[in-house]
């Protein structure tokens, strides 16, 4: 990839959750429809404003890459009942609808970091399918999604990883 000076990072879209980012109306696999809530409509308005107004302003019209830092899908997790649909194909379609225009805006400079297994499937299989459909930049092993990414942005080396270290000891809290 050519040298890039701007990187936009997004994370935790949780497509498929009633509290997550969602188009105004979604056709479900069973033939029915889900209509987004007033809160989701507000989130969607913010999403479009972010990409149409804020990103061009902060990147000064220069090329940029996008890093999706995990949890694009909500998945089936923790016995939750807040999903728009438990059908992961529905959740995939919601995420793809939201993200395809973003991949176009960054001219394909799109990286996909794997999220939490309970949201993304065993070995992040559901995010890998989505990343492949979106034609995310492959890692050195040919995967479209990855656990971490080191990326040079301008003169800096950035490290992306959905999961950060944690500790129960106050003595080591600063190294988590």
């Amino acid at each position: 990839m050519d040298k890039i000076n701007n990187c936009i990072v997004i994370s935790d879209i949780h497509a498929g959750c009633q509290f997550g980012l969602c188009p105004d109306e979604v056709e479900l696999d069973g033939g029915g429809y889900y209509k987004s809530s007033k809160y989701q409509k507000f989130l969607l308005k913010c999403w479009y404003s972010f990409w149409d107004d804020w990103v061009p302003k902060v990147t000064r019209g220069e090329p940029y890459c996008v890093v999706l830092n995990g949890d694009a899908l909500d998945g089936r997790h923790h016995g939750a009942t807040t999903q728009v649909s438990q059908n992961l194909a529905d959740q995939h379609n919601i995420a793809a609808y939201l993200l395809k225009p973003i991949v176009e805006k960054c001219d394909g400079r799109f990286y996909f970091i794997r999220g939490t297994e309970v949201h993304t499937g065993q070995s992040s299989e559901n995010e890998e399918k989505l990343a492949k459909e979106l034609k995310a930049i492959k890692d050195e092993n040919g995967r479209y999604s990855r656990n971490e990414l080191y990326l040079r942005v301008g003169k800096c080396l950035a490290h992306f990883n959905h999961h950060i270290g944690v500790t129960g000891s106050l003595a080591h809290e600063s190294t988590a």
Side-chain angles (χ1 to χ4, degrees):
M1 187 175 88
D2 296 335
K3 182 179 175 188
I4 199 83
N5 292 316
N6 300 289
C7 181
I8 305 299
V9 183
I10 56 175
S11 186
D12 295 86
I13 294 171
H14 291 276
C17 178
Q18 293 178 41
F19 304 109
L21 192 59
C22 187
D24 288 329
E25 185 174 277
V26 176
E27 183 176 3
L28 302 174
D29 184 60
Y33 290 88
Y34 172 79
K35 291 186 184 250
S36 61
S37 70
K38 68 178 180 179
Y39 305 108
Q40 287 175 308
K41 289 179 189 311
F42 175 75
L43 278 177
L44 190 63
K45 181 179 175 186
C46 293
W47 175 257
Y48 289 137
S49 176
F50 176 80
W51 291 107
D52 296 340
D53 303 327
W54 190 81
V55 169
K57 180 179 177 182
V58 298
T59 61
R60 300 166 306 283
E62 297 175 2
Y64 59 90
C65 69
V66 172
V67 175
L68 191 153
N69 201 29
D71 287 355
L73 307 174
D74 198 46
R76 293 185 214 112
H77 61 89
H78 306 107
T81 59
T82 57
Q83 288 85 5
V84 167
S85 169
Q86 289 284 321
N87 185 327
L88 296 177
D90 289 334
Q91 294 184 24
H92 174 106
N93 291 339
I94 292 168
Y97 176 88
L98 295 166
L99 293 168
K100 280 181 182 178
I102 305 317
V103 175
E104 290 174 15
K105 286 178 183 286
C106 69
D107 295 324
R109 295 181 206 92
F110 181 75
Y111 296 92
F112 203 121
I113 309 300
R114 294 175 174 189
T116 309
E117 189 174 84
V118 297
H119 295 290
T120 67
Q122 297 291 317
S123 300
S124 295
E125 62 188 332
N126 300 319
E127 284 196 323
E128 177 65 17
K129 288 178 202 172
L130 178 60
K132 183 176 183 178
E133 180 178 334
L134 296 171
K135 298 181 177 79
I137 295 171
K138 295 179 189 177
D139 71 3
E140 63 277 359
N141 296 314
R143 294 179 306 218
Y144 292 89
S145 65
R146 57 190 79 210
N147 292 316
E148 66 179 345
L149 170 67
Y150 286 92
L151 181 65
R152 186 153 307 275
V153 181
K155 295 179 182 180
C156 300
L157 181 63
H159 177 231
F160 300 93
N161 188 340
H162 185 75
H163 301 98
I164 61 169
V166 296
T167 182
S169 168
L170 295 177
H172 300 286
E173 188 173 300
S174 64
T175 61

